């Protein structure tokens, strides 16, 4: 993991979720710190976002939060971070999170988590980056997404190689081996001739 110094985590901001997801978020934050990595995330203090940040901070990690003004206005930003950047838009936030990170980990989450993760997958497909993207499939949370990818491949909207744009692990402990492993090269871009 010599090249990986800063890990971006995408995850849910809801607190109304099963305890197993909260436990995984806390474990991931502590493991990020134990490996001497920096955490980059969306800057919130609620849900899994707040849990992963608090665990990383509590174990001594540097934590960088990036939050748009309209979300900060709802008073959900984390005020105890190493760095908190308040930006003008979601687009600026996502770009800054990308620029500050060497790899991406996707914990369970909702539409915002999907938006951020899918953008990184799309950018990887378009060869805009080769940074690892790892989904943590806690108790099968991401299986419907994996079935959707298989369906898109079966229907011809994705190439089979698009499955190599990301990795899937079952536990947070497996994340670090996945991001350290050689990454497959992004599949060719599909053109109008198929």
């Amino acid at each position: 993991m010599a090249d990986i110094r800063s890990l971006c985590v995408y995850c849910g901001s809801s607190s109304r979720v099963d305890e197993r997801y909260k436990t995984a978020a806390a474990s991931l934050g502590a493991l990020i710190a134990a490996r001497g990595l920096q955490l980059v995330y969306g800057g919130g203090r609620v849900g899994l976002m707040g849990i992963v940040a608090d665990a990383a901070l509590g174990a001594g990690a540097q934590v960088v939060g990036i939050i748009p003004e309209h979300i900060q206005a709802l008073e959900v930003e984390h005020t105890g971070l190493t760095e908190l950047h308040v930006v003008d838009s979601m687009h600026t936030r996502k770009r800054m999170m990308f620029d500050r990170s060497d790899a991406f980990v996707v914990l369970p989450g909702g539409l915002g988590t999907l938006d951020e993760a899918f953008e990184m997958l799309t950018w990887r497909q378009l060869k805009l980056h080769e940074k690892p993207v790892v989904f943590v499939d806690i108790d099968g949370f991401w299986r419907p997404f994996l079935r959707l990818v298989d369906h898109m491949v079966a229907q011809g909207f994705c190439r089979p190689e698009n499955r190599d744009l990301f990795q899937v692990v079952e536990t947070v402990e497996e994340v670090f081996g996945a991001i350290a492993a050689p990454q497959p090269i992004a599949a060719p871009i599909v053109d109008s001739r198929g």
Side-chain angles (χ1 to χ4, degrees):
M1 272 193 339
D3 309 76
I4 307 294
R5 296 175 303 280
S6 187
L7 192 61
C8 180
V9 175
Y10 300 133
C11 59
S13 61
S14 174
S15 297
R16 304 176 310 275
V17 300
D18 192 279
E19 198 62 34
R20 62 193 157 165
Y21 303 130
K22 296 176 182 179
T23 299
S27 296
L28 181 60
L31 289 168
I32 288 170
R35 283 163 173 77
L37 302 174
Q38 175 179 259
L39 168 65
V40 175
Y41 85 116
R45 63 172 165 77
V46 294
L48 300 190
M49 292 175 68
I51 292 170
V52 72
D54 285 340
L57 286 165
Q62 301 285 306
V63 178
V64 178
I66 303 167
I67 192 167
E69 294 168 344
H70 70 278
I71 295 177
Q72 183 202 28
L74 300 174
E75 298 183 4
V76 296
E77 90 267 18
H78 196 305
T79 57
L81 304 177
T82 311
E83 296 178 36
L84 178 65
H85 300 273
V86 180
V87 297
D88 63 346
S89 68
M90 293 293 285
H91 298 292
T92 302
R93 173 204 227 177
K94 289 191 283 187
R95 183 64 205 204
M96 192 172 186
M97 290 171 82
F98 171 81
D99 289 340
R100 296 289 301 262
S101 304
D102 301 312
F104 306 92
V105 176
V106 189
L107 290 176
L111 296 177
T113 302
L114 286 174
D115 172 54
E116 292 168 327
F118 284 7
E119 186 153 20
M120 290 306 101
L121 294 179
T122 303
W123 288 7
R124 192 150 195 255
Q125 181 185 21
L126 295 172
K127 300 183 184 296
L128 299 177
H129 75 90
E130 293 183 4
K131 299 177 182 182
V133 179
V134 179
F135 285 77
V136 186
D137 189 31
I138 298 164
D139 290 337
F141 181 87
W142 291 114
R143 282 183 205 148
F145 160 67
L146 300 175
R147 287 195 296 272
L148 176 60
V149 172
D150 287 341
H151 176 69
M152 291 187 291
V153 169
Q155 297 301 313
F157 289 99
C158 292
R159 293 184 179 206
E161 300 84 19
N162 290 151
R163 293 183 184 107
D164 294 334
L165 296 172
F166 60 93
Q167 298 175 76
V168 180
V169 298
E170 293 183 4
T171 68
V172 294
E173 290 80 9
E174 296 172 273
V175 163
F176 304 94
I179 63 176
Q183 300 299 305
I185 303 300
I189 299 170
V190 177
D191 63 22
S192 60
R193 296 169 298 217

